Amino acid sequence: MSLLEISGLSISYPGSAAVLDRLSFVIEKGESLGLVGESGSGKTQTALAIMGLLPTNARVAGGVVFDGTELLGQPERMLNLYRTRRMGIVFQDPMSALNPYVRIGAQLNRILLEHGLASDDEADSRSLEMLRLVGLPDVERQFRSYPHQLSGGMRQRVMIAAALIGKPDLLIADEPTTALDVTVQAQILGLLRGLRHEFNTALLLITHDLGVVAGNCERMIVLKDGKLIEEGMTPQIFAEPVHPVTRAMLAAARRSDFLARSHERTPKDQTPVLEIEGLAVSYAVPGERRSRKRLPAVQQLTMTIAPGETVALVGESGSGKTSLARAIVGLLPVQSGSMVLLGKPLTGRVESRPNALRRAVQMVFQDPVGSLNPAMRVDDIITEPLTVHEPDKIKANKDEVVAAMLRRVGLDDALKKRFPHELSGGQAQRVAIARALVLKPKILICDEAVAALDGSIRQDILELLRAEQQQSGLSLLFITHDLTTVRQISHRVLVMYLGRLCELADTESLFMRPKHPYTKALLDAVPIADPAIGIIVASDLGEAPSMLQPPSGCAFHPRCPYSISRCSEELPELQDFKKSSAACHRAAELAL
Amino acid sequence: MNAGLVLSRIWKEIRRSRSITICGGILVFIAALAVLGPLISPHSYLTTDFDGRFIEPTLNNFHIFGTDDLGRDLFVRTLMGGQITLLVAVIASFVSLVIGVAYGAVAGYVGGHIDAIMMRAVDALYALPFIFLVILLMVVFERNFLLIFVAIGAINWLDMARIVRGQTISLKQREFVDAAKLIGVPAWRIIFRHITPNLLGVVIVYVTLTIPQAILVESFLSFLGLGVQEPQTSLGALVNGGVRQMEQAPWMLLIPAVLLAVVLLCFNFLGDGLRDVFDPRQEAK
Amino acid sequence: MLRFALLRLLWAIPTLLLVIVLAFLMVHAAPGGPFDAERALPPEIEANIARAYHLDEALPQQFARYLGGVLRGDFGPSYRYRDYSVSELIGNAIPVSMKLGALAMALAVLVGISLGTLAALRQNSALDRLMMGLAMTGISIPVFVIAPLFILFFAVKLQWLPASWSGSTSAWRLLLPVVALALPQIAYIARLTRASMIEVLGSDFIRTARAQGLGTAAIIRYHAMKPAMLPVLSYMGPAIAAILTGSVVVEEIFGIPGVGQFFVRGALNRDYTLVLGIVIFYAALVILLNLIVDVLYGFLDPRIRHR
């Protein structure tokens, strides 16, 4: 008998198409199954159906048989016998999934007490033991902490502890690492692998990232629009995908495996459009106004962008990438250092800059819908820059401009009277790009501009940006945490850690011969979409320290496996190598 | 034009809501009756008739709501009272709207220390038992209409200011405002084209919810004999008169009380329905 | 946490001072003195009265004298009840007002929260709709309408309960006033509890708790109650003010000799010192209770507490 048998599971909601359509699969005891699909494919609905957590207005048909018992349609009281003791679940966002008003320890104790797994006296020690098992440091203190006092990775460890505390037979992990930085993701996935073997728990791992499946699941199924389209052993599917959608997903995931732009001549030798030297950006810490303590978001940053060049800016959350971008466009004040754009000094806030310079730098934001005014229609949004700068000209030929711009970003003319909330994410992002391009900027800054989009749409947008660049010689500053995207689009890469530049290199040499241990750690943490390679066991780096108390010397030294005493004492200078430069004392001697 | 677009979109959603249509309809009917009724009736709200005191509601001689202890026609008096109650409430709400929106939008848009100080002041005022100060004001000074508007408006602007400030801050942080700055949109245009149209919904909802509060305050003052003065009347004053005669002439209490409750109920339901249409939290979905 | 509480306390002092100044100035800006209402008095008597009440002093001096008195709990003599000081009048009236207010508040909180939670758990059921319809009605009927209707119905028509305070000595005479005073607050708190409970029950951490197999009772008690009560707690400030306001009317209608009744009588008789004293007393009470609510809020919400 299989541990879990899903048969003909269909879910629909009143007034919309089926979100899940006759899905069937099994999970055997102790096995790991990957459930892959893009957003809206029905992955999370499947997880909720198994746990009996679907909203009350969901219409469900089919069967969910757990260890011989049908769970669908069972009352809550009956399901509670299975939850925790037989199955547990880890959700995507560990911040909202933990109760912010209850201490970590109390939340774990409550589970034990409700299920009679421990007496009042034993609960504390059992919970502490579980927290130790998931690798939570300083357990006694964290036990008494509230969730907001923990970092994202630590919260996810707590979620895993809560899901495994009843030693269940099945653990469902729904995008458990999507909200986390890539180095933390590697640690959490490693933890899940270890615990699974220790507890002999079956794992249903839900993800959009084929790389995550490749290293963690023996078997996998692929969903598309609520239908199962592919099923099989992981290596087999990676080797010979049958369904065209699977093939396309794999192709997209593997673009990192070849250097898409390596053949292009890097345009970096020309006169740069933008030169930044010794830039520092900081802002006041909320709640610390009186102490005048300032958070150093960017320090001593020097870089250039050539015409027609794409520079990728990479780093974990809190590394200062976005602050740098906002300082360039003038949304954040510069503390010190200089910026030169098209040979003219770039200073002050955006409001005080001369028009020509302001037009030359535009930005595309992360949230496609949020960056468009909900009360304006597409045509007004696209032409607003011209309405402001050339009001007389635009009045005469607004329709032509709108039609031309929509065509240029690959949108249908029929969309021009829509409001932003009537657009899909990809369409909205194209409108945002059109609004930026209408001013004919020299530099386009993309702040995680494709992070919120699904695989195939992401590819289309990247393609659009690349085509635009080839036509108009636009320079791109591409901020991202996703190294796959970096490899596809950039000529050069700039790696930041805690506000400082670690490494600046040609894309190829960065991926092949990283010079900074942090770059190496980032690269190792990226899951590779190839089960044959298996898992590169990344060294457990822990998490980034707070910017408010940056470590002495090289900021990376507490997490660096190669650090020597000098690293904690002296700030490393940027050293130049053949195709890269790195700020590491040991860059010359290490072979990473 | 931009605000017009938003309004037309709002209008479409409003027509779909049953509670908004019904309550809006009742309120329009009551308002129309309050204005037209006294014109139709043969009686004046002033004329006393000592032979016709305490007449129960009857179709006879068109005393359909009966007469009061001075023989005045209650139909006309109730409608006159309704007129004044609605007028006071609407004007007072307008006062609180103007103060609240201006204060909240400035605090929210300017931000920083100025915002902190302005909001500290609002917090402090929140803790004040305003109603008692208003009563004191009414005791001390001549009771005139203007004072009532100002007093009620002064109580109710605090909520509006807080809400508008919160909305402004969250709008200011939205990426579309950053995007507008980058393409060179001047500050005034950002306020009028990007922030104000998105505030509209919230403001409409809270004005609707402010009106019943203003009605409550006015009728409370009038009930205590500190608001609208004889021979003028308002629903609160009529209830007060009704309480004194309730054993002898219960209709004197019941009719204005029911009308007051219906008006308040409709405004509250209306505000609730509008909130469902506009809730900023729903917008996020 | 202690800093937070102290900071709040520090803010309360200027707030109260502001009320005292405002109220004091208002009374002194009044057209005409308090004693020239009925008939003209000989000038020497007027001067005597003025001296007796220190009305001949400059305004700042008068204020300093008054403030000093207030700090010692002395609000000066009543202008109308010549044999009593304002403090005595308030002091005598406090116990019954307190009993009325505290009982109404307790009733409103207990019943309101219970009904609201029940409605949230049965969201969109017939019971929920009925309760919320009633609650909306409850909010929309002012206390000064409910109270006379209660008297008309329960005392005059059915004769179950005494209509007025002086007509009875049994504890039952408190029932109608307390219920009339509590009713709008019950309705408001029930609606607030329902809305916030529904929002909390829809949050991700409640889904987590369900996934952990906790029963409904445990989820409500250990996970949902605290966050759902925060909006209710922050309504306690306005609720206290509303109960105080309502008590003025209820005491007047039922003839209860409490602070509220003295307030109304004082207001209608232009007894300035009495009204001024009661306004300051009410302000101090509201500010104090708000302070307690604020500190309690900070205590319940860990994200504020750790600031």
Side-chain angles (χ1 to χ4, degrees), chain B residues 87-277:
Chain B
L87 190 73
V88 171
V90 169
I91 295 181
S93 298
F94 185 75
V95 171
S96 77
L97 167 83
V98 172
I99 304 176
V101 171
Y103 195 94
V106 167
Y109 194 76
V110 174
H113 289 291
I114 294 176
D115 172 42
I117 291 167
M118 286 173 86
M119 282 303 123
R120 266 286 163 216
V122 168
D123 284 347
L125 291 177
Y126 244 101
L128 288 189
F130 257 113
I131 187 78
F132 298 111
L133 284 179
V134 169
I135 292 175
L136 192 59
L137 200 70
M138 293 295 167
V139 170
V140 167
F141 293 99
E142 200 109 343
R143 289 145 206 180
N144 63 25
F145 263 32
L146 191 70
L147 207 54
I148 299 180
F149 297 145
V150 172
I152 297 175
I155 296 179
N156 284 332
W157 69 273
L158 294 172
D159 276 315
M160 184 63 90
R162 269 192 178 175
I163 285 155
V164 169
R165 170 186 173 266
Q167 256 326 82
T168 307
I169 286 179
S170 83
L171 285 171
K172 199 177 67 169
Q173 290 166 344
R174 295 271 290 274
E175 287 179 338
F176 69 80
V177 174
D178 282 343
K181 284 184 190 163
L182 295 191
I183 58 180
V185 180
W188 62 269
R189 197 180 147 96
I190 290 183
I191 292 180
F192 284 104
R193 243 188 109 92
H194 292 274
I195 293 192
T196 320
N198 290 299
L199 279 176
L200 212 60
V202 181
V203 170
I204 291 175
V205 170
Y206 281 91
V207 167
T208 318
L209 291 173
T210 306
I211 293 176
Q213 285 173 18
I215 293 178
L216 271 181
V217 177
E218 183 278 325
S219 42
F220 174 74
L221 291 175
S222 294
F223 176 83
L224 291 182
L226 296 168
V228 177
Q229 298 296 303
E230 290 278 340
Q232 289 286 342
T233 192
S234 80
L235 293 182
L238 287 169
V239 171
N240 187 16
V243 169
R244 277 188 249 131
Q245 312 292 342
M246 69 182 168
E247 295 189 31
Q248 193 172 5
W251 65 88
M252 274 182 68
L253 169 62
L254 288 174
I255 290 169
V258 167
L259 187 66
L260 182 59
V262 168
V263 168
L264 288 168
L265 197 64
C266 283
F267 271 116
N268 278 328
F269 267 122
L270 192 65
D272 240 33
L274 287 172
R275 181 155 45 190
D276 288 344
V277 173

Side-chain angles (χ1 to χ4, degrees), chain C:
Chain C
M1 186 60 207
L2 193 68
R3 229 189 93 212
F4 174 76
L6 282 176
L7 211 70
R8 286 283 149 157
L9 188 65
L10 276 180
W11 264 98
I13 294 167
T15 310
L16 184 59
L17 208 61
L18 181 75
V19 181
I20 299 177
V21 172
L22 272 180
F24 187 81
L25 286 179
M26 249 185 242
V27 166
H28 280 264
F35 299 104
D36 55 13
E38 293 113 39
R39 57 203 150 90
L41 293 165
E44 54 270 29
I45 295 183
E46 244 181 57
N48 280 340
I49 292 176
R51 208 167 317 120
Y53 289 97
H54 304 287
L55 294 177
D56 54 341
E57 291 176 3
L59 197 61
Q61 253 175 309
Q62 286 190 44
F63 181 70
R65 181 185 300 281
Y66 187 72
L67 191 62
V70 169
L71 289 179
R72 290 191 309 272
D74 174 13
F75 293 96
S78 161
Y79 284 167
R80 296 282 150 173
Y81 302 87
R82 296 282 163 87
D83 298 335
Y84 295 94
S85 74
V86 171
S87 308
E88 280 170 335
L89 288 172
I90 296 178
N92 290 339
I94 282 178
V96 61
S97 287
M98 223 130 74
K99 212 188 280 174
L100 178 67
L103 281 174
M105 197 72 191
L107 188 69
V109 168
L110 282 178
V111 179
I113 290 175
S114 315
L115 291 182
T117 308
L118 193 64
L121 287 175
R122 305 257 181 286
Q123 196 190 344
N124 292 332
S125 69
L127 180 74
D128 175 31
R129 269 162 221 219
L130 177 74
M131 284 204 295
M132 284 309 114
L134 284 177
M136 189 60 115
T137 316
I139 289 175
S140 302
I141 304 180
V143 174
F144 62 81
V145 171
I146 295 176
L149 289 181
F150 269 13
I151 293 180
L152 194 61
F153 194 69
F154 292 107
V156 177
K157 288 264 170 334
L158 296 174
Q159 308 220 320
W160 285 355
L161 290 159
S164 80
W165 189 258
S166 50
S168 160
T169 49
S170 86
W172 287 107
R173 64 182 179 171
L174 261 173
L175 184 66
L176 284 182
V178 165
V179 174
L181 195 51
L183 220 47
Q185 302 312 312
I186 291 177
Y188 203 98
I189 292 174
R191 279 171 53 84
L192 206 58
T193 304
R194 174 183 180 270
S196 97
M197 188 60 92
I198 284 174
E199 187 170 334
V200 170
L201 288 178
S203 63
D204 284 358
F205 62 82
I206 295 298
R207 190 175 67 180
T208 307
R210 285 183 59 209
Q212 290 164 349
L214 306 195
T216 307
I219 288 177
I220 297 280
R221 180 160 168 213
Y222 295 103
H223 282 288
M225 213 37 161
K226 202 158 127 185
M229 280 308 103
L230 288 175
V232 179
L233 186 61
S234 51
Y235 174 66
M236 284 302 111
I240 290 159
I243 293 258
L244 273 186
T245 316
S247 72
V248 171
V249 180
V250 167
E251 288 179 14
E252 175 69 15
I253 292 173
F254 286 92
I256 301 169
V259 182
Q261 198 184 34
F262 277 110
F263 186 59
V264 178
R265 300 277 158 86
L268 293 174
N269 291 332
R270 295 181 179 253
D271 189 341
Y272 291 161
T273 42
L274 182 58
V275 173
L276 185 60
I278 295 181
V279 166
I280 292 169
F281 167 73
Y282 276 156
L285 194 64
V286 169
I287 290 169
L288 178 73
L289 292 173
N290 265 304
L291 182 75
I292 294 172
V293 169
D294 269 2
V295 171
L296 215 59
Y297 195 100
F299 196 73
L300 274 184
D301 190 341
R303 282 171 299 190
I304 290 184
R305 191 182 339 157
H306 290 284
R307 237 179 239 162

